[in-house]
Amino acid sequence: MLILNKTTGVFSNLSKGKIYEFLRSFNIHPGKLFLHKLVLGIETSCDDTAAAVVDETGNVLGEAIHSQTEVHLKTGGIIPPVAQQLHRENIQRIVQEALSASKVSPSELSAIATTIKPGLALSLGVGLSFSLQLVDQLKKPFIPIHHMEAHALTIRLTNKVEFPFLVLLISGGHCLLALVRGVSDFLLLGKSLDIAPGDMLDKVARRLSLIKHPECSTMSGGKAIEHLAKQGNKLHFDFKPPMQRAKNCDFSFSGLQHVIDKMIMQKEKEEGIEKGQILSSAADIAASVQHTVACHIAKRTHRAILFCKQRNLLCQSNAVLVVSGGVASNLYIRKALEVVTNAAQCTFLCPPPRLCTDNGIMIA
Ligand code: KG4
Ligand code: ZN
């Protein structure tokens, strides 16, 4: 709580008047009875301002989200103060929309849950400061949430999954493999030694100037690569999956990214075009990059499954791998993971794409 109090002090930016105005905007519905406890979840760790109301049985009563992707695409990446400003501009509206969609007034909430880490400090601060003021006004309990734990546990909203299970989290900021032994009991088995796969795909998409591609202009880097890859030949470029000899479950993406950068430079020379123009081989590059990333992720995950099976760390009768995070919405990467889980007789589970990327539901 000490950390939370300090953080509020640093980031506090919404006046008491604004919070009161926010609370007054709700009509209280006398006589309405909720059978279950209701939690408001608030997420602002990166570039999505999201909120949702979920009841204790996992029913989603309402949600709202504001994505900053388009703004950050134009600036070629997330500029933290810009993200912070956009969170400030949208948080009140998004929380209000989530509550209105749920037909729940703030006084009916049982608790407020908010992402407190990991993420961009300036972005996290907006959600935290807003939540703590709301908590203070409403006199409700506050539940601090770890963003990656929320991603890992989201599957329990859509599937009945027993502990322990293996989880692979692949997003723009994270890449980790962990054994989930309980709601807050995680054993880290592997992580990226450098950047996350989503970060790498975003960098490659930027280097290929896919924002100028008419079909990809509003897509995140990873989504643009997936889209373009469908039109390309994955065997056209022979990129080697990283860390083939490493006897652990770690990942690495920055070496591969440098190799791709070099190759793009060479192709630009060959085609006689400037940096910033779209290569005629962009679709083949996208397909080859996606294929190599998928192979790397699948191979490292296969090692983790075998390790867990050897040591009886997973459920004997039904070993489960859960994959989540923004990159898990990539259907080609999912397919590669399905191949290794089938081979290892392991059940493969993935939340629906809209629950793989950042959202308020997973926090609630
Ligand atoms: O989980 P997320 O919404 O935010 C965090 O990073 O926490 O993930 C966003 C990342 C971005 O890097 C984006 O390029 C990537 O997920 N992504 C994808 C796809 N959709 C989003 N990567 C590959 N294929 C996709 N379809
Ligand atoms: Zn995330």
Side-chain angles (χ1 to χ4, degrees):
M1 210 51 198
L2 184 69
I3 298 166
L4 294 181
N5 286 341
K6 269 194 191 162
T7 322
T8 332
V10 174
F11 295 113
S12 187
N13 49 51
L14 284 155
S15 67
K16 269 203 166 148
K18 266 209 144 178
I19 290 283
Y20 279 125
E21 177 199 309
F22 169 77
L23 293 172
R24 271 199 305 274
S25 68
F26 287 91
N27 296 320
I28 311 294
H29 313 285
K32 189 159 45 125
L33 189 67
F34 287 100
L35 293 174
H36 301 290
K37 287 184 180 159
L38 307 173
V39 177
L40 168 67
I42 297 179
E43 156 65 34
T44 64
S45 67
C46 189
D47 59 347
D48 292 302
T49 317
V53 179
V54 175
D55 76 14
E56 65 186 313
T57 67
N59 280 326
V60 180
L61 277 75
E63 67 163 320
I65 186 160
H66 173 264
S67 167
Q68 304 175 359
T69 304
E70 257 183 72
V71 175
H72 299 310
L73 274 175
K74 286 193 191 116
T75 52
I78 299 174
I79 300 169
V82 174
Q84 179 191 39
Q85 183 54 30
L86 291 170
H87 283 304
R88 280 180 180 162
E89 287 169 14
N90 290 289
I91 187 148
Q92 183 165 331
R93 174 179 64 82
I94 288 300
V95 171
Q96 200 149 5
E97 279 179 22
L99 287 165
S100 303
S102 323
K103 298 192 173 37
V104 166
S105 68
S107 63
E108 289 164 319
L109 293 170
S110 312
I112 294 165
T114 304
T115 309
I116 58 154
K117 65 177 181 182
L120 300 172
L122 294 179
S123 293
L124 285 164
V126 178
L128 190 52
S129 134
F130 182 87
S131 305
L132 293 184
Q133 289 185 62
L134 207 53
V135 159
D136 187 45
Q137 300 300 324
L138 295 167
K139 305 281 176 268
K140 303 282 179 189
F142 178 70
I143 309 174
I145 300 292
H146 189 289
H147 182 84
M148 303 315 288
E149 290 184 2
H151 269 307
L153 298 170
T154 302
I155 194 72
R156 283 156 45 92
L157 276 175
T158 52
N159 299 67
K160 202 171 156 10
V161 189
E162 301 295 338
F163 298 117
F165 60 87
L166 191 60
V167 71
L168 168 69
L169 297 176
I170 38 178
S171 72
H174 298 277
C175 177
L176 58 89
L177 264 166
L179 186 69
V180 187
R181 298 185 289 206
V183 169
S184 55
D185 183 5
F186 292 78
L187 175 70
L188 187 65
L189 298 174
K191 60 186 183 319
S192 173
L193 301 177
D194 36 66
I195 58 175
D199 190 11
M200 184 221 150
L201 293 172
D202 290 343
K203 285 185 167 121
V204 172
R206 266 204 303 280
R207 186 61 188 77
L208 286 170
S209 301
L210 296 189
I211 190 161
K212 292 187 188 156
H213 194 289
E215 291 166 27
C216 306
S217 61
T218 59
M219 294 178 186
S220 68
K223 200 168 168 49
I225 296 274
E226 180 177 27
H227 179 79
L228 218 56
K230 290 184 191 132
Q231 305 160 24
N233 173 7
K234 67 179 182 217
L235 302 176
H236 194 98
F237 297 96
D238 186 23
F239 302 123
K240 295 271 175 290
M243 300 181 75
Q244 303 234 53
R245 287 166 193 269
K247 291 191 168 31
N248 55 39
C249 302
D250 288 334
F251 302 81
S252 168
F253 295 93
S254 62
L256 177 61
Q257 189 219 319
H258 288 303
V259 171
I260 295 161
D261 269 4
K262 265 196 187 160
M263 204 277 307
I264 293 174
M265 210 150 50
Q266 189 192 322
K267 280 277 142 197
E268 283 169 348
K269 261 194 203 151
E270 278 174 32
E271 292 189 20
I273 65 165
E274 297 281 311
K275 184 175 177 180
Q277 289 176 280
I278 296 180
L279 284 166
S280 67
S281 49
D284 290 335
I285 296 172
S288 306
V289 168
Q290 179 180 254
H291 178 65
T292 313
V293 167
C295 286
H296 178 47
I297 291 174
K299 283 183 181 172
R300 310 313 288 168
T301 306
H302 191 214
R303 284 186 69 85
I305 299 172
L306 296 182
F307 173 82
C308 289
K309 284 207 150 196
Q310 258 172 20
R311 293 177 187 230
N312 277 334
L313 295 173
L314 287 169
C315 180
Q316 291 268 13
S317 56
N318 185 22
V320 173
L321 169 75
V322 171
V323 184
S324 196
V327 178
S329 51
N330 183 296
L331 297 181
Y332 189 85
I333 293 173
R334 282 191 190 199
K335 196 87 211 138
L337 288 163
E338 259 173 52
V339 171
V340 296
T341 45
N342 283 342
Q345 290 168 335
C346 181
T347 304
F348 173 76
L349 294 176
C350 218
R354 74 183 181 93
L355 291 180
C356 279
T357 48
D358 290 353
N359 62 83
I361 297 172
M362 71 181 194
I363 306 304

